């Protein structure tokens, strides 16, 4: 569920954490990478294009998730020790 308003507080206090990352940027080395998979799964299962959303198959969704995670791990972060992917249940309001 997350901590209410935590991201806003964090980004206002440390504005440099919000940067667009490009392939040309020099990235620091990371030992560990922690991914919240809910945002990745949602982005890959609900594309922005409405026409494509109706036609997306489960296979296409899974391939999109794999490609997204693969790009983060192999091209952007390149963690040296640990990759932790957290997937939790559905949002509380979706259960109602």
């Amino acid at each position: 569920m997350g901590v209410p308003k935590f991201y806003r507080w964090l980004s206002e206090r440390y504005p440099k954490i919000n940067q667009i990352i490009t392939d040309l940027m020099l990235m620091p080395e990371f030992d560990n990478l922690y991914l919240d998979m809910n945002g990745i799964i949602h982005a890959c299962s609900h594309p922005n294009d409405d026409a494509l959303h109706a036609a997306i198959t489960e296979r296409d969704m899974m391939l999109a998730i794999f490609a997204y995670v693969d790009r983060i791990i192999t091209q952007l972060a390149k963690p040296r020790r640990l990759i932790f992917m957290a997937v939790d249940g559905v949002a509380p309001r979706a259960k109602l």
Side-chain angles (χ1 to χ4, degrees), residues 15-31:
K16 290 186 178 183
I17 65 169
N18 293 319
Q19 295 181 11
I20 296 175
I21 299 174
T22 66
D23 293 333
L24 302 176
M25 290 180 68
L26 182 60
M27 296 291 292
E29 292 184 353
F30 297 97
D31 288 331

Side-chain angles (χ1 to χ4, degrees), residues 11 23-24 28-29 42 58 65 71-72 75 83 87 90 92:
S11 61
D23 293 333
L24 302 176
E29 292 184 353
H42 181 79
E58 186 175 343
I65 292 169
R71 184 168 187 273
I72 291 172
Q75 296 176 16
I83 300 167
V87 182
V90 298

Side-chain angles (χ1 to χ4, degrees), residues 40 44 59 61-72:
I40 294 171
C44 294
R59 182 179 190 278
M61 178 186 68
M62 295 301 291
L63 290 174
I65 292 169
F66 297 151
Y68 194 106
V69 171
D70 185 62
R71 184 168 187 273
I72 291 172

Side-chain angles (χ1 to χ4, degrees), residues 5-17:
K5 300 181 184 177
F6 178 66
Y7 177 75
R8 182 176 178 178
W9 174 86
L10 192 65
S11 61
E12 286 174 354
R13 184 164 293 229
Y14 305 100
K16 290 186 178 183
I17 65 169

